Amino acid sequence: MSYGVTLKKRKVFMLRYWYFLSVKEIMEECKMSKSQVEVALFRMRKLLKEEFEERGYIHG
């Protein structure tokens, strides 16, 4: 499910957790403020956790 996640937010998530870029590097790459990057990461982690819980991979 996409949950209305934009390509930009997906990119932020991948840059952080696949390529291990710092928040500062992501800010520069995506032309976003620090708070925008941090909020995007927080929300993506929350969505991922909810998806894993729904599928029974983890228990809340």
Side-chain angles (χ1 to χ4, degrees):
M1 295 182 172
S2 70
Y3 298 100
V5 177
T6 64
L7 288 176
K8 190 171 197 173
K9 289 178 184 175
R10 291 180 192 189
K11 181 179 179 180
V12 167
F13 191 84
M14 292 297 292
L15 290 173
R16 182 69 173 140
Y17 297 109
W18 185 261
Y19 296 103
F20 302 105
L21 269 60
S22 68
V23 170
K24 184 177 180 181
E25 290 169 319
I26 296 169
M27 289 168 50
E28 294 167 359
E29 174 72 25
C30 297
K31 299 184 180 17
M32 297 170 70
S33 70
K34 181 180 180 186
S35 63
Q36 288 174 316
V37 171
E38 290 172 340
V39 167
L41 290 169
F42 174 81
R43 290 180 180 164
M44 289 291 290
R45 286 191 305 267
K46 182 179 176 190
L47 285 173
L48 189 59
K49 180 181 182 232
E50 290 170 359
E51 182 69 21
F52 282 176
E53 288 173 346
E54 285 177 20
R55 293 180 183 221
Y57 299 140
I58 61 172
H59 303 284

